[in-house]
Amino acid sequence: MATHPGFDAGHDLDALPLRERKKIQTGLRLWRTAIGLFAERGFDQVPVAEIAAAAEVSKMTVFNYFPSKEDLVMGPMEQHLDEPARVVRERAPGTSAVAALRTHYLAALRRFDPSTGLSDDPIVLDVVRVIHQTPALLMRATAGFGQQTQTLLATELLAQDPAHDELTARVAAAQLLAAQLTLTADNQRRMLAGGRAADALPVALDQAHRAFALVEQGLGDYCTRTA
């Protein structure tokens, strides 16, 4: 989940040309205005015209930045749908897909990246609440991160598999993303319950190590019935 739509936090905003800087600042103002209104009154109760008025722009300007009302919430998150596939594609030689995604996720946890759920930034928590309280947004999030991201990852795994085993690629993608989504959901619950990201970090790191180990090692004889 990006906290700053259309802007990579790794770059210096002031170093950008004035036109580009103003464009990013306008998009960010629209996004923050919309999330604030949605969190206060509910997604379905806030028309785009009200968001435009509150941000002091025209309704057309809102749609120039965000093609639909749903994009005001989901757009920044969906910039990262291809991230797992990209991590696998760009991993160093000799690095397994599991190791690459584990390293990437652990690093994101340590910097409290919103994509891990381990962020107590108030506006990030507002986004999570709005999505959870709005069936259409929750369905879109599930379709994006549960289906589209999985398809992209499976395609990348298949492309790099010498055996070109489609079933293994699809199962591996499903398991890897299920681990990440489970961890992220747990972190979001901690934050929504009032937890502090810094306090929750040790537990989140431990659970991430355990979850990726399960994927890496397989379930084996897990839950074998003994009687």
Side-chain angles (χ1 to χ4, degrees):
M1 182 191 304
T3 310
H4 305 278
F7 177 63
D8 185 342
H11 293 98
D12 182 4
L13 183 61
D14 292 333
L16 295 174
L18 179 61
R19 181 183 180 89
E20 184 66 17
R21 186 163 69 246
K22 286 188 173 182
K23 182 178 179 181
I24 290 171
Q25 290 171 335
T26 299
L28 181 56
R29 185 172 76 254
L30 287 171
W31 179 71
R32 288 185 176 276
T33 300
I35 296 303
L37 290 169
F38 294 153
E40 180 182 348
R41 303 223 316 275
F43 179 81
D44 294 325
Q45 280 65 53
V46 180
V48 173
E50 183 176 346
I51 297 167
E56 299 182 331
V57 299
S58 69
K59 185 176 177 181
M60 182 61 68
T61 297
V62 176
F63 286 123
N64 285 340
Y65 282 82
F66 299 93
S68 73
K69 183 180 171 182
E70 289 186 358
D71 288 326
L72 281 158
V73 181
M74 304 303 300
M77 295 174 60
E78 291 175 346
Q79 294 172 10
H80 301 275
L81 287 177
D82 67 341
E83 191 166 286
R86 178 182 56 77
V87 169
V88 168
R89 183 167 57 252
E90 297 176 355
R91 73 191 189 281
T95 304
S96 71
V98 177
L101 288 167
R102 175 175 54 216
T103 298
H104 180 78
Y105 191 82
L106 291 172
L109 279 175
R110 292 188 179 98
R111 64 176 182 269
F112 304 111
D113 191 300
S115 66
T116 67
L118 196 68
S119 173
D120 47 22
D121 183 324
I123 195 166
V124 171
L125 293 178
D126 281 344
V127 171
V128 174
R129 289 190 189 97
V130 169
I131 292 173
H132 284 212
Q133 294 167 0
T134 311
L137 296 177
L138 193 57
M139 184 179 300
R140 178 163 163 174
T142 301
F145 291 93
Q147 297 174 20
Q148 188 174 345
T149 299
Q150 183 174 317
T151 297
L152 291 169
L153 179 56
T155 299
E156 187 62 40
L157 291 170
L158 184 62
Q160 298 194 29
D161 177 12
H164 207 70
D165 186 332
E166 184 177 350
L167 176 62
T168 299
R170 287 192 286 111
V171 171
Q175 291 181 338
L176 284 162
L177 286 180
Q180 290 193 194
L181 290 172
T182 299
L183 293 166
T184 298
D186 283 351
N187 291 332
Q188 287 178 344
R189 280 193 289 270
R190 294 186 185 100
M191 298 301 96
L192 291 174
R196 293 182 64 249
D199 293 339
L201 180 59
V203 172
L205 288 169
D206 176 67
Q207 289 191 340
H209 279 290
R210 290 171 54 198
F212 280 98
L214 283 171
V215 178
E216 190 170 44
Q217 299 165 12
L219 293 176
D221 60 358
Y222 168 71
C223 211
T224 299
R225 188 168 184 175
T226 58

